[in-house]
């Protein structure tokens, strides 16, 4: 295929569809906005409906002979130095499951960083893959996890030579990346593939001052959420493949197995347009954004009680490898309030939504969409928070365990525990029992409790005190955590 990154095959096909005045007697039922409710059309605009048509038998003919989607995926692969790219309209939550199922099967082992997103855990539950947990690198001072080291993965293969591959999350939602090249080398020494959940790294290929991106670092499969740090619509995801350790047709089949048969052309258009945008203007856009982030970081650092975590805080021996400055992570311990309270105050009083928050931090994520106007509004709100924090209620404190007490024994496979007979027990009686559900502070969505882990009192106390402080736990059966869902046998085994 002739490579021309000025093209946007999906967008061009959408324009042609409108110009031809095609009339569909097929889904979607709104038929180019004509059937949509007037109040919905008034709010969303007709352009949303104009872009919502069938991929097969609409955007392209019924046999996809014009290869509109294939050309768009090929252009994306070229843009990010991959051999193949697959578009997904079900988010990276689907893409990472497809990647996992392409590497390992039911009962087989996969090395997995324990700081994985809940979508990875869902993949383990659905597949029956046996996880070999690779511990993150813990910052005991800041109570924060950084990606596992390459040595930890090497040790994992030494202890489990039958593991089919490895999965690592990089960068983290806090902007810290793993030493992907060293981890990929460790995998490849054992002829095993590396899957990288790079959901937060869509922008990384487009500027040399950002951390190395997974394909350039030698990963075999990389999953990216373009809606997070790019210009894609929510649920717009891509996953990329290179090399021969993961079979192309197997990966395509697994994605087809999990994906929808009614993909959103709107999401395809967002992915296609973002690739063209970044290939034509990406370096300039990211240069401007990095300069803006540096200025914002400096301004926030001058606010009493706030510290912007930087490379010196997050990277080095026993910590992260690379650092992305665009997730502006602000430690507000000096204000004497939690990140939960700060985030709620910013939304209530300034209509500012933080990206994530925990017991001592908030993160205010910048992208190429930000400018002096958006960042000045943010800075104004943060300065006001700094002035008023001393008058805010302190609130309860979260009892954060030490790293060795935060990790629990995996007594059963996640799948076996999740699908077992269960009972709901009072949280005071749950220590020693086997969890049958995930318990995940959200955001960022990294589970504290996995199905099959043997619950401990320090972890349960952490979650209960976190709830009291403002933590959000959307996935347990009882979000208030008065009860916990456990495997139904009295001895907890």
């Amino acid at each position: 295929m002739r490579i021309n990154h000025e093209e946007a095959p999906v967008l061009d096909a959408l324009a042609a569809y409108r110009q031809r005045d095609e009339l569909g007697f097929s889904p979607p039922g709104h038929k180019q906005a004509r059937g949509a409710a007037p109040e919905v059309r008034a709010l969303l605009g007709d352009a949303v409906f104009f872009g919502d048509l069938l991929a097969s038998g609409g955007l392209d003919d019924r046999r996809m002979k014009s290869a509109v989607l294939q050309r768009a995926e090929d252009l994306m692969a070229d843009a990010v130095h991959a051999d193949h790219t697959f578009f997904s309209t079900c988010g990276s939550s689907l893409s990472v499951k497809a990647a996992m199922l392409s590497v390992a099967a039911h009962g087989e082992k996969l090395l997995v960083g324990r700081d994985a997103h809940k979508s990875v855990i869902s993949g383990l539950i659905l597949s029956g893959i046996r996880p070999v947990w690779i511990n993150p690198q813990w910052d005991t001072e800041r109570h924060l996890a950084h990606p596992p080291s390459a040595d930890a993965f090497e040790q994992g293969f030494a202890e489990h030579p039958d593991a089919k591959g490895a999965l690592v999350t990089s960068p983290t939602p806090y902007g810290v990346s793993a030493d992907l090249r060293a981890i990929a080398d460790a995998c490849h020494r054992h002829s095993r593939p590396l899957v990288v959940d790079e959901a937060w790294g869509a922008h990384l290929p487009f500027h040399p001052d950002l951390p190395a991106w997974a394909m350039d670092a030698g990963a075999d499969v990389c999953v990216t959420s373009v809606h997070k740090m790019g210009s894609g619509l929510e649920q717009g995801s891509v996953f990329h493949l290179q090399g021969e350790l993961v079979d192309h047709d197997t990966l395509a089949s697994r994605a087809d197995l999990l994906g929808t048969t009614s993909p959103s052309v709107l999401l395809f258009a967002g992915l296609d347009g973002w690739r063209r945008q970044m290939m034509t203007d990406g370096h300039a856009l990211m240069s401007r954004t990095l300069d803006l982030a540096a200025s914002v970081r400096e301004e926030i650092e001058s606010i009493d009680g706030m510290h912007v975590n930087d490379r010196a805080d997050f990277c080095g021996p026993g910590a992260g490898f690379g650092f992305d400055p665009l997730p502006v992570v602000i430690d507000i311990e000096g204000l004497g309030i939690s990140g939960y309270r700060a985030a709620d105050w910013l939304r209530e009083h300034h209509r500012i939504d933080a990206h994530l928050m925990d017991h001592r931090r908030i993160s205010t994520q910048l992208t190429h969409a930000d400018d002096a106007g958006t960042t000045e509004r943010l800075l104004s709100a943060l300065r006001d928070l700094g002035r008023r924090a001393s008058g805010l209620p302190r609130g309860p404190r979260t009892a954060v365990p030490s790293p060795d007490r935060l990790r629990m024994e995996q007594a059963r496979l996640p799948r076996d525990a999740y699908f077992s007979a269960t009972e709901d027990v009072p949280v005071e009686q749950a220590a020693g029992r086997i969890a049958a559900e995930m318990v995940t502070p959200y955001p960022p969505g990294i589970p504290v409790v996995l199905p099959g882990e043997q619950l401990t009192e320090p972890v349960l106390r952490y979650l209960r005190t976190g709830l009291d402080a403002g933590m959000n736990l959307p996935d347990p059966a009882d979000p208030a955590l008065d009860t916990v869902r456990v495997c139904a046998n009295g001895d907890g085994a």
Side-chain angles (χ1 to χ4, degrees), residues 262-484:
S262 304
S264 169
V265 167
L266 277 172
L267 270 63
F268 287 158
L271 297 171
D272 194 29
W274 172 77
R275 182 269 316 156
R276 180 171 65 181
Q277 177 187 28
M278 296 312 289
M279 289 303 289
T280 55
D281 300 314
H283 186 276
L285 286 171
M286 295 314 303
S287 292
R288 180 186 60 79
T289 308
L290 288 167
D291 289 342
L292 186 66
S295 174
V296 169
R297 286 171 161 273
E298 184 177 355
E299 289 291 329
I300 297 173
E301 190 69 28
S302 69
I303 301 174
D304 288 344
M306 296 188 190
H307 170 59
V308 182
N309 290 127
D310 57 20
R311 182 182 297 274
D313 294 317
F314 283 173
C315 297
F321 181 77
F323 179 74
D324 178 2
L326 300 190
V328 180
V329 181
I330 309 166
D331 192 319
I332 59 169
E333 191 172 41
L335 294 181
I337 59 174
S338 71
Y340 309 120
R341 188 170 296 278
D344 291 345
W345 189 91
L346 287 169
R347 180 179 172 88
E348 179 182 356
H349 293 277
H350 287 273
R351 300 295 180 255
I352 294 288
D353 294 325
H355 160 216
L356 58 81
M357 62 292 304
D358 62 23
H359 64 287
R360 61 183 284 181
R361 283 169 288 262
I362 57 172
S363 175
T364 54
Q365 166 193 320
L366 301 181
T367 74
H368 61 287
D370 283 296
D371 56 23
T374 65
T375 55
E376 183 50 46
R377 183 174 167 187
L378 170 64
L379 290 169
S380 176
L382 291 173
R383 293 184 189 111
D384 194 24
L385 174 63
R387 287 191 296 267
R388 299 178 186 272
S390 61
L392 298 178
R394 302 294 90 180
R397 294 187 66 83
T398 304
V400 183
S402 60
D404 60 319
R405 303 188 80 187
L406 190 59
R407 284 288 286 114
M408 296 177 291
E409 178 189 355
Q410 187 80 50
R412 292 187 182 179
L413 287 182
R415 178 183 177 88
D416 293 347
Y418 183 86
F419 288 112
S420 69
T422 65
E423 59 180 321
D424 297 339
V425 300
V427 67
E428 297 83 5
Q429 301 172 22
R433 300 297 298 272
I434 305 301
E437 62 181 353
M438 276 190 275
V439 184
T440 309
Y442 208 94
I446 299 168
V448 171
V449 174
L450 306 181
E453 289 187 328
Q454 189 166 31
L455 295 163
T456 63
E457 193 276 333
V459 167
L460 293 168
R461 185 169 67 252
Y462 164 57
L463 293 168
R464 284 302 301 266
T465 57
L467 272 174
D468 292 341
M471 182 186 289
N472 179 37
L473 299 177
D475 52 9
D478 177 7
L481 218 65
D482 292 324
T483 61
V484 183

Side-chain angles (χ1 to χ4, degrees), residues 39-381:
E39 59 271 22
V40 177
R41 295 177 70 173
L43 180 64
L44 299 184
D46 284 353
V48 171
F49 296 98
F50 293 161
D52 185 40
L53 67 155
L54 291 177
S56 171
L59 183 74
D60 206 337
D61 67 26
R62 66 182 179 84
R63 299 175 66 184
M64 308 287 275
K65 291 199 296 291
S66 296
V68 173
L69 181 59
Q70 182 63 58
R71 288 188 291 118
E73 290 177 333
D74 288 347
L75 284 164
M76 181 73 82
D78 181 75
V80 298
H81 315 144
D83 293 342
H84 306 280
T85 288
F86 303 82
F87 284 4
S88 169
T89 63
C90 298
S92 291
S93 294
L94 178 141
S95 305
V96 76
K97 293 180 182 71
M100 295 166 65
L101 287 166
S102 301
V103 172
H106 184 278
E108 294 181 332
K109 294 178 182 177
L110 182 69
L111 307 185
V112 182
R114 182 54 182 84
D115 57 339
H117 188 263
K118 64 178 294 182
S119 58
V120 172
I121 313 308
S122 298
L124 296 173
I125 292 170
L126 291 171
S127 66
I129 291 171
R130 184 180 296 274
V132 175
W133 296 116
I134 307 298
N135 285 329
Q137 301 181 96
W138 293 96
D139 184 331
T140 56
E141 177 187 347
R142 297 177 181 85
H143 299 123
L144 196 70
H146 298 310
S149 67
D151 288 344
F153 281 98
E154 186 66 66
Q155 182 178 348
F157 281 117
E159 296 175 357
H160 300 273
D162 53 343
K164 296 297 183 179
L167 186 152
V168 67
T169 302
S170 177
T172 69
Y174 293 92
V176 182
S177 61
D179 188 351
L180 291 180
R181 184 166 297 283
I183 296 173
D185 289 346
C187 291
H188 296 161
R189 279 193 292 273
H190 298 271
S191 299
R192 298 300 193 217
L194 172 63
V195 176
V196 178
D197 182 352
E198 201 167 51
W200 290 100
H203 57 309
L204 298 184
F206 302 107
H207 201 281
D209 293 341
L210 291 166
W213 118 270
M215 290 285 97
D216 284 351
D220 300 274
V221 180
C222 171
V223 173
T224 300
S225 295
V226 175
H227 65 92
K228 285 185 168 69
M229 295 296 290
S231 300
L233 299 172
E234 281 292 307
Q235 294 184 220
S237 171
V238 293
F239 49 109
H240 310 288
L241 172 67
Q242 67 179 353
E244 299 178 355
L245 291 177
V246 177
D247 178 66
H248 171 278
D249 294 341
T250 298
L251 182 56
S253 175
R254 301 300 187 264
D256 182 66
L257 178 71
L258 296 171
T260 177
T261 56
S262 304
S264 169
V265 167
L266 277 172
L267 270 63
F268 287 158
L271 297 171
D272 194 29
W274 172 77
R275 182 269 316 156
R276 180 171 65 181
Q277 177 187 28
M278 296 312 289
M279 289 303 289
T280 55
D281 300 314
H283 186 276
L285 286 171
M286 295 314 303
S287 292
R288 180 186 60 79
T289 308
L290 288 167
D291 289 342
L292 186 66
S295 174
V296 169
R297 286 171 161 273
E298 184 177 355
E299 289 291 329
I300 297 173
E301 190 69 28
S302 69
I303 301 174
D304 288 344
M306 296 188 190
H307 170 59
V308 182
N309 290 127
D310 57 20
R311 182 182 297 274
D313 294 317
F314 283 173
C315 297
F321 181 77
F323 179 74
D324 178 2
L326 300 190
V328 180
V329 181
I330 309 166
D331 192 319
I332 59 169
E333 191 172 41
L335 294 181
I337 59 174
S338 71
Y340 309 120
R341 188 170 296 278
D344 291 345
W345 189 91
L346 287 169
R347 180 179 172 88
E348 179 182 356
H349 293 277
H350 287 273
R351 300 295 180 255
I352 294 288
D353 294 325
H355 160 216
L356 58 81
M357 62 292 304
D358 62 23
H359 64 287
R360 61 183 284 181
R361 283 169 288 262
I362 57 172
S363 175
T364 54
Q365 166 193 320
L366 301 181
T367 74
H368 61 287
D370 283 296
D371 56 23
T374 65
T375 55
E376 183 50 46
R377 183 174 167 187
L378 170 64
L379 290 169
S380 176

